[in-house]
């Protein structure tokens, strides 16, 4: 290799580059000169065999040639891209277009929307509240006494303690939203509050430290327990089918009096008894009751003038039962094979 040879190659390359008119021939050019076995690349190999004095000047010139060619190829590429009339062989207008892939709603969101949608048709308004709450909204105002076990530090997620400030915590129930709404508004009220709640439970197939609840509240100058029953029956029949039977079992909640747990006949085995309902033929779905007068006092309502009822349900549980989902952890694993089924 010598200087003449190198200059000849430079001239040849630039005249060939001038003739390039498509992305494809540009690529052919690149391969021929700068590719692994290209002419310029080969000269770099040859350079190694030369003596020190020969190598220096030739090396410099060869490097310059390489840089020039790379720059000119870039220029060519952008002029090809911007020249409209020119045929771009890499673009095939007859190929079908790329279909954008739409996502879908998470099964929990779908279940929340379906349930809140049913209550909206019954005149309930959907409201949301904060997940980081005060002890007042999560416990005190809900008539949950100071010595109640759920107030223990290990039974609720508390934030770091600070002086002169009521402790903050992650709400353990969406009943907090009842309090927030009643503090702000006067009755009559008809609300449903969906959202996440947190409890430091050991995670297993049916427990999680985070899950979703929907809480309902109705307040008026007069409400009755039979209205509560009627509304829940209507709701559960819409959700689970017209043959759904419901049953109220006496229970205790600090914020409702009287309170009940609400069961439906097991729709998986038609109440014959299966492993999901534990052979009982009934599934527990809701907590409910008449709002305790002590709660009305906490929010400045006159318990002699107003009445109300509240209910709460777990969204994961309902979604799991309806879709036959065996493990609550599946909702959070982000496994598309699971999520695409809904
Ligand atoms: N908040 C209760 C729970 O988390 C459910 C409930 C809501 C019960 C409203 C009665 C009235 O278990």
């Amino acid at each position: 290799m010598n200087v003449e040879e190198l200059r000849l190659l430079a001239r040849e390359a630039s005249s060939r580059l001038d003739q390039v008119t498509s992305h494809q021939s540009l690529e052919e050019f690149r391969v021929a000169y700068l590719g692994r076995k290209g002419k310029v690349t080969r000269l770099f190999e040859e350079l190694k065999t030369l003596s020190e004095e020969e190598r220096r000047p030739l090396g410099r010139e060869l490097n310059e040639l390489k840089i020039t060619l790379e720059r000119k190829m870039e220029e060519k590429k952008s002029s090809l891209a911007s020249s409209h009339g020119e045929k771009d062989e890499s673009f095939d207008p007859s190929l079908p277009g790329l279909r954008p892939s739409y996502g879908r709603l998470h099964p929990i969101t779908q279940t929340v929307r379906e349930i809140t949608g049913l209550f909206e048709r019954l005149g309930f308004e959907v409201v949301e509240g904060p997940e980081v709450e005060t002890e007042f909204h999560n416990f005190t105002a809900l008539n949950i006494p100071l010595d109640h076990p759920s107030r223990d530090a290990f039974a609720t997620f508390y934030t770091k303690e600070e002086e002169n400030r009521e402790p903050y915590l992650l709400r353990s129930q969406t009943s907090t939203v009842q309090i927030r709404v009643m503090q702000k508004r006067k009755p009559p009220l008809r609300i449903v509050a969906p959202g996440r709640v947190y409890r430091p439970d050991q995670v297993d197939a049916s427990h999680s430290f985070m899950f979703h609840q929907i809480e309902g509240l109705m307040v008026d100058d007069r409400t009755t327990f039979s209205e509560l029953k009627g509304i829940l029956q209507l709701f559960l029949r819409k959700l689970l089918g017209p043959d759904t039977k419901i049953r109220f079992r006496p229970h205790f909640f600090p914020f409702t009096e009287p309170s009940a747990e609400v069961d439906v006949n097991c729709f998986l085995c038609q109440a014959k008894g299966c492993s999901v309902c534990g052979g009982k033929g009934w599934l527990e779905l809701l907590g409910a009751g008449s709002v305790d007068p002590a709660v009305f006092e906490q929010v400045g309502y006159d318990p002699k003038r107003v009445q109300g009822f509240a209910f709460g349900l777990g969204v994961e549980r309902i979604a799991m039962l309806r879709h036959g989902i065996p493990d609550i952890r599946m909702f959070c694993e982000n496994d598309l094979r699971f999520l695409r089924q809904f």
Side-chain angles (χ1 to χ4, degrees):
M1 162 164 84
N2 53 42
V3 192
E4 276 76 60
E5 233 181 287
L6 196 58
R7 300 212 172 132
L8 198 67
L9 180 66
R11 241 174 293 140
E12 176 201 304
S14 75
S15 78
R16 261 194 72 177
L17 192 54
D18 284 343
Q19 284 155 29
V20 162
T21 53
S22 69
H23 288 288
Q24 196 188 329
S25 51
L26 182 63
E27 176 60 12
E28 282 162 12
F29 174 87
R30 190 193 64 78
V31 173
Y33 288 87
L34 298 171
R36 241 184 332 122
K37 292 189 181 140
K39 291 182 179 174
V40 175
T41 317
R42 276 222 198 109
L43 288 186
F44 273 107
E45 297 288 320
E46 228 182 293
L47 210 55
K48 289 183 202 151
T49 66
L50 300 180
S51 69
E52 173 81 40
E53 312 93 88
E54 284 179 302
R55 191 161 61 210
R56 271 178 181 268
L58 280 176
R60 193 176 315 122
E61 201 150 334
L62 188 58
N63 247 331
E64 273 166 22
L65 173 61
K66 184 178 175 224
I67 292 168
T68 314
L69 288 182
E70 280 171 345
R71 181 175 47 76
K72 285 189 170 167
M73 280 172 55
E74 265 317 301
E75 287 167 11
K76 195 70 177 182
K77 197 166 146 195
S78 51
S79 86
L80 283 175
S82 61
S83 64
H84 291 296
E86 226 144 285
K87 203 161 115 224
D88 178 358
E89 290 152 29
S90 67
F91 177 67
D92 179 353
S94 67
L95 280 175
L98 290 178
R99 189 187 291 275
S101 75
Y102 297 110
R104 62 187 72 210
L105 293 176
H106 191 278
I108 292 299
T109 310
Q110 288 183 29
T111 310
V112 166
R113 292 204 185 167
E114 194 182 340
I115 293 172
T116 53
L118 289 173
F119 280 108
E120 280 178 307
R121 285 158 65 185
L122 294 169
F124 284 73
E125 177 195 346
V126 180
V127 277
E128 289 182 43
E131 290 170 30
V132 179
E133 265 294 6
T134 63
E135 269 196 320
F136 175 78
H137 291 92
N138 200 71
F139 293 125
T140 314
L142 287 162
N143 200 32
I144 300 174
L146 262 176
D147 57 3
H148 193 277
S150 67
R151 286 203 177 205
D152 282 346
F154 55 81
T156 299
F157 291 111
Y158 283 89
T159 64
K160 222 170 102 216
E161 258 181 70
E162 268 170 49
E163 250 180 273
N164 305 325
R165 199 201 65 199
E166 208 192 339
Y168 285 137
L169 49 84
L170 294 181
R171 67 180 176 194
S172 56
Q173 49 190 344
T174 41
S175 308
T176 52
V177 184
Q178 299 186 22
I179 304 301
R180 290 193 169 268
V181 171
M182 288 194 285
Q183 280 177 320
K184 266 197 237 124
R185 303 194 209 163
K186 295 271 150 275
L189 287 177
R190 249 193 253 195
I191 57 158
V192 274
R196 294 193 177 122
V197 300
Y198 301 83
R199 297 179 191 179
D201 283 344
Q202 192 68 42
V203 176
D204 64 22
S206 53
H207 296 83
S208 175
F209 55 87
M210 184 280 292
F211 57 98
H212 296 72
Q213 281 191 332
I214 296 177
E215 166 107 1
L217 172 71
M218 177 159 160
V219 183
D220 215 323
D221 48 12
R222 202 182 105 88
T223 65
T224 65
F225 216 80
S226 51
E227 282 174 317
L228 166 65
K229 274 184 142 174
I231 282 185
L232 291 184
Q233 182 163 66
L234 207 58
F235 156 65
L236 289 166
R237 286 190 176 161
K238 281 273 178 221
L239 186 72
L240 304 171
D243 298 329
T244 306
K245 289 196 186 65
I246 66 170
R247 163 175 103 166
F248 275 55
R249 260 182 307 105
H251 196 72
F252 173 79
F253 294 108
F255 34 89
T256 48
E257 180 62 34
S259 306
E261 278 189 329
V262 184
D263 301 338
V264 296
N265 57 331
C266 181
F267 48 87
L268 299 169
C269 62
Q270 271 69 50
K272 288 190 195 80
C274 64
S275 63
V276 178
C277 63
K280 291 188 290 246
W282 293 95
L283 295 167
E284 180 219 319
L285 280 194
L286 294 111
S290 297
V291 179
D292 194 302
V295 173
F296 285 140
E297 273 167 19
Q298 290 285 350
V299 297
Y301 283 8
D302 181 353
K304 288 193 197 70
R305 293 243 169 101
V306 292
Q307 285 184 326
F309 56 75
F311 49 89
L313 57 85
V315 179
E316 276 79 353
R317 180 164 160 79
I318 290 192
M320 286 167 80
L321 288 168
R322 288 178 78 202
H323 299 297
I325 298 166
D327 195 315
I328 195 169
R329 288 168 287 203
M330 294 174 124
F331 290 119
C332 304
E333 283 168 351
N334 211 18
D335 184 338
L336 293 181
R337 291 169 305 177
F338 169 73
L339 296 172
R340 284 202 179 109
Q341 296 177 58
F342 303 97

